[in-house]
Amino acid sequence: MEWEHIAESQEFKHLISIKTKFTIIALIFSFVYYFALPLSVGYLPGVMNKKVTGAINIAYWFALSQFFVAWIIAGIYARVANRHFDPIAEKIRRENAEGVEV
Amino acid sequence: MNWLAIGMFVVFVGITLGITYWASHHTKTTAEYYAAGRSISGVQNGFAIAGDYMSAASFLGIAGLIALNGYDGFMYSVGWLVAYIVVLILVAEPMRNSGKYTMADVLAYRLRPKPVRTAAALSTLVISTFYMLAQMVGAGTLIKMLLGIPYEASVIFIGIMMILYVTLGGMLGTTWVQIIKAGLLMFAATVLSLWVLAKFNFNLVTFFNGLSAKYGQKFLEPGLLYKNPIELVSLGMALVLGTAGMPHILMRFYTVPTAKAARTSVLWAMGLIGTFYIMTTFLGFGAAYFVGSATIKSIDKGGNMAAPLLAQMLGGGPNTFGGEFLLAFVSAAAFATILAVVAGLTLAASSAFAHDFYVNVLRGGKADEMTQVRVAKRTGVIVGIIAIILGILAKGQNVAYLVALAFAVASSANIPVIILALFWKRFNTTGAVAGILVGLIASVGLMMIGPSVMGKAAIFPLSNPGIVSIPIGFIAAFLGTVLVPQRSESNIKYEELYIRANTGLGAE
């Protein structure tokens, strides 16, 4: 099995480059959005305590939005992985299936 | 004694023991014992991950935190879902593609197996012990309150049940216990939160206006529980990174046939876990509104009885059939929750000892299937007995901080090493061992000299050491690699792991 050969192939390099790009962007966005919550309720209480709908304040909507943002990022990941990562990985698997030890 | 609740619980135990008996016929090989023969579907595994993860601490504890502290309790619950973004994007699929049963399998692929397996087994055992001890003590206390069974009796009973599930049913039996528990818990939470919302005509604004009128707007604002934002960030870091380093969660990815199924399972788990935590808000706020925080506090200072009391109140109040029935149902669901979580932890601990340490370190990987399964089962029994003894010894101790400690260790000792092993070409054995040991010592040490253990005399100011111990773990892994270069380890092994992890080539 020529692992180096696969590592040097255009297909594998392309897979890694699109995966890395997606991973970095998605994780940075998730972390910034998540840690913005404790930091803003800690340091910007005036803004966060502002009531927007009845007694519900910005702090509550911000915390609730975290769930939906996490779901949306997960959904985007699934879409990108299904459409762009899987076909390339599948091709590499097919082309190199012989001689790989499980 | 609450006979109705005990009756419902007996039904749960009966069904799960039946499943365990069925699963015992499919638990002969190591792949079956540790990974359910990789036969679990993505959706099933999603339910099982949720069942493994949503502990009694989250169901009863967070509802109580919200009922007593309002907004801050809700904010605390957010990190438990966000953590799965890291699991989904960074670890689930590479782990499935390149490992067999444990986290150490992935490390041992490219690094020298004996030292990294020993270190990884140690951190897994430490994390499982802390987390399990917190569950056992919490369970003993809760069951005493919910069912009226003495503390020691419930700890022994839980210990025996988890030994039975794990040693007879293996991963297959444990998985189904977790799936059933997740279904039960979701059902209970959904019924209760819809009931609460129905009282306000499904209008969130009316609900919050009511809370504000009853407890004042302060209750809906941050600051009642957490005074220090840095503490919260530190807690958040340990939760968000630590989940991806929890051995009982990582182990679940080996039970599905492909990386794609691992991905599906995280997506389902996120749907369930997120929905559950949003509903917990309605339970906590609902309990504050309908039961009242004074009543909740009078029964348990920590607020753990908020959700069960809410159920009782919605059903018609104490001493009505509806009230007692709902209380019994929620109590039984909480008991089921505890059992499913400790079973998962027992399996993770026994795999670390039997698969990583005994078979691959002591026996150099040379043990036949029968011996491996036998050792794994015996380890499961020993882990269960140790958990019972520690649980009884820790009676009356405040062990809530052990949950935070388990996440701190997972994020500081395991995560740096997992990430660097998968993504850094130069990483070597010294770096891995240094990362695990230093991360472990830093997180435990900082916890010991922090306010959770030393109270006001604390030397380290934070109860959650993550913000310091996670960087220490990364730095130790980095320095170990750079300062002690190892020429004997070729980069070819890394390339092989990297290709396997990213494509699934040659995955079992």
Side-chain angles (χ1 to χ4, degrees), chain B residues 277-474:
Chain B
Y277 282 109
I278 292 177
M279 292 194 297
T280 313
T281 344
F282 303 138
L283 301 188
F285 282 134
Y289 190 87
F290 292 109
V291 183
S293 46
T295 314
I296 295 167
K297 230 186 229 168
S298 73
I299 293 177
D300 174 56
K301 264 193 290 186
N304 282 312
M305 289 296 283
L309 287 172
L310 171 70
Q312 190 186 41
M313 190 58 87
L314 291 174
N319 302 317
T320 63
F321 177 75
E324 294 307 319
F325 184 83
L326 268 187
L327 173 68
F329 182 71
V330 169
S331 306
F335 203 163
T337 289
I338 293 159
L339 276 179
V341 175
V342 292
L345 287 166
T346 309
L347 203 53
S350 78
S351 69
F353 182 82
H355 174 68
D356 288 328
F357 191 70
Y358 179 79
V359 173
N360 281 298
V361 176
L362 291 186
R363 300 281 296 266
K366 291 179 201 73
D368 59 62
E369 284 280 309
M370 260 180 58
T371 317
Q372 293 196 32
V373 175
R374 199 174 59 234
V375 173
K377 288 185 174 181
R378 280 187 194 161
T379 316
V381 175
I382 294 167
V383 170
I385 293 172
I386 293 174
I388 294 173
I389 295 171
L390 289 179
I392 291 175
L393 289 178
K395 184 186 179 183
Q397 304 284 319
N398 182 2
V399 291
Y401 73 91
L402 287 179
V403 173
L405 182 53
F407 277 92
V409 175
S411 56
S412 314
N414 289 357
I415 282 300
V417 171
I418 292 175
I419 290 178
L420 294 177
L422 288 172
F423 299 101
W424 190 30
K425 197 168 182 172
R426 267 188 76 186
F427 194 45
N428 65 25
T429 306
T430 320
V433 173
I436 292 176
L437 294 183
V438 175
L440 177 68
I441 294 167
S443 44
V444 175
L446 289 174
M447 198 72 159
M448 291 302 142
I449 59 168
S452 308
V453 176
M454 293 181 67
K456 286 223 172 353
I459 299 161
F460 181 72
L462 298 172
S463 307
N464 294 285
I467 199 166
V468 178
S469 61
I470 296 168
I472 288 180
F474 272 102

Side-chain angles (χ1 to χ4, degrees), chain B residues 195-276:
Chain B
W195 205 323
V196 167
L197 288 175
K199 299 254 182 194
F200 298 95
N201 294 318
F202 295 97
N203 186 336
L204 208 57
V205 176
T206 321
F207 186 14
F208 277 65
N209 285 345
L211 283 165
S212 177
K214 200 163 178 180
Y215 291 101
Q217 185 67 20
K218 267 264 157 273
F219 189 65
L220 300 176
E221 290 174 356
L224 286 180
L225 183 62
Y226 302 113
K227 313 287 181 203
N228 180 358
I230 300 301
E231 184 82 76
L232 263 176
V233 170
S234 191
L235 171 67
M237 284 176 71
L239 271 183
V240 166
L241 293 173
T243 303
M246 277 295 189
H248 65 304
I249 301 294
L250 291 177
M251 201 176 177
R252 291 234 50 90
F253 296 119
Y254 299 120
T255 66
V256 292
T258 60
K260 201 166 171 137
R263 182 190 306 155
T264 310
S265 63
V266 187
L267 294 172
W268 273 87
M270 286 183 75
L272 291 165
I273 293 167
T275 310
F276 176 77

Side-chain angles (χ1 to χ4, degrees), chain B residues 2-47:
Chain B
N2 186 336
W3 293 107
L4 200 56
I6 293 174
M8 284 189 205
F9 188 69
V10 166
V11 173
F12 173 81
V13 167
I15 292 171
T16 51
L17 283 180
I19 288 169
T20 305
Y21 177 74
W22 159 77
S24 68
H25 298 297
H26 305 273
T27 305
K28 305 274 189 287
T29 65
T30 45
E32 284 170 344
Y33 183 76
Y34 292 125
R38 322 220 187 270
S39 64
I40 307 293
S41 77
V43 180
Q44 289 167 349
N45 197 40
F47 271 83

Side-chain angles (χ1 to χ4, degrees), chain B residues 164-197:
Chain B
L164 287 177
Y165 289 150
V166 170
T167 56
L168 298 179
M171 184 51 110
L172 186 60
T174 304
T175 301
W176 279 100
V177 171
Q178 289 164 345
I179 292 173
I180 294 173
K181 165 262 172 112
L184 204 60
L185 195 60
M186 289 303 287
F187 178 72
T190 309
V191 168
L192 290 181
S193 46
L194 287 180
W195 205 323
V196 167
L197 288 175

Side-chain angles (χ1 to χ4, degrees), chain A residues 1-8 12 15-16 19-20 22-24 26-27 30-31 34-35 37-39 41-43 45 48-51 53-71 73-75 77-78 81-83 85-86 88-90 92-94 96-98 100-102, chain B residues 71-72 74-82 85-86 88-90 93-94 97 100 109 204-205 208-210 212 217-218 220-222 228-230 232-237 239-241 260 263 267 270-275 277-278 281-282 285 423 492 495-508:
Chain A
M1 190 69 235
E2 297 277 331
W3 295 104
E4 267 176 287
H5 173 72
I6 302 176
E8 294 301 321
F12 187 69
L15 174 67
I16 295 305
K19 255 186 146 172
T20 310
F22 181 88
T23 304
I24 291 173
L27 287 183
S30 306
F31 287 159
Y34 172 60
F35 287 107
L37 177 69
L39 290 173
V41 302
Y43 295 113
M48 288 292 123
N49 291 343
K50 198 165 279 170
K51 292 194 268 182
T53 39
I56 309 179
N57 50 25
I58 295 182
Y60 181 79
W61 288 121
F62 190 18
L64 191 63
S65 77
Q66 295 277 345
F67 290 91
F68 294 91
V69 168
W71 281 331
I73 293 170
Y77 172 77
N82 285 331
R83 285 195 178 179
F85 303 163
D86 288 356
I88 305 175
E90 168 75 48
I92 294 173
R93 274 206 304 275
R94 245 198 342 261
N96 299 282
E98 277 165 42
V100 180
E101 188 192 341
V102 171
Chain B
Y71 179 84
D72 278 5
F74 178 44
M75 187 167 61
Y76 173 69
S77 74
V78 169
W80 298 82
L81 174 69
V82 176
I85 293 288
V86 180
L88 175 70
I89 295 180
L90 275 187
E93 295 173 46
N97 275 335
K100 270 186 151 146
Y109 221 106
L204 208 57
V205 176
F208 277 65
N209 285 345
S212 177
Q217 185 67 20
K218 267 264 157 273
L220 300 176
E221 290 174 356
N228 180 358
I230 300 301
L232 263 176
V233 170
S234 191
L235 171 67
M237 284 176 71
L239 271 183
V240 166
L241 293 173
K260 201 166 171 137
R263 182 190 306 155
L267 294 172
M270 286 183 75
L272 291 165
I273 293 167
T275 310
Y277 282 109
I278 292 177
T281 344
F282 303 138
F285 282 134
F423 299 101
I492 298 186
E495 266 163 6
E496 181 176 342
L497 174 70
Y498 199 50
I499 292 164
R500 282 178 187 261
N502 280 293
T503 62
L505 190 59
E508 188 178 320

Side-chain angles (χ1 to χ4, degrees), chain B residues 112-148:
Chain B
R112 273 190 291 133
K114 286 189 179 182
V116 293
R117 279 195 191 273
T118 309
L122 179 70
S123 79
T124 298
L125 288 173
V126 169
I127 294 165
S128 313
T129 311
F130 287 157
Y131 204 52
M132 188 138 52
L133 188 54
Q135 296 289 329
M136 293 296 263
V137 174
T141 318
L142 286 172
I143 290 163
K144 191 170 181 313
M145 271 192 291
L146 293 169
L147 307 181

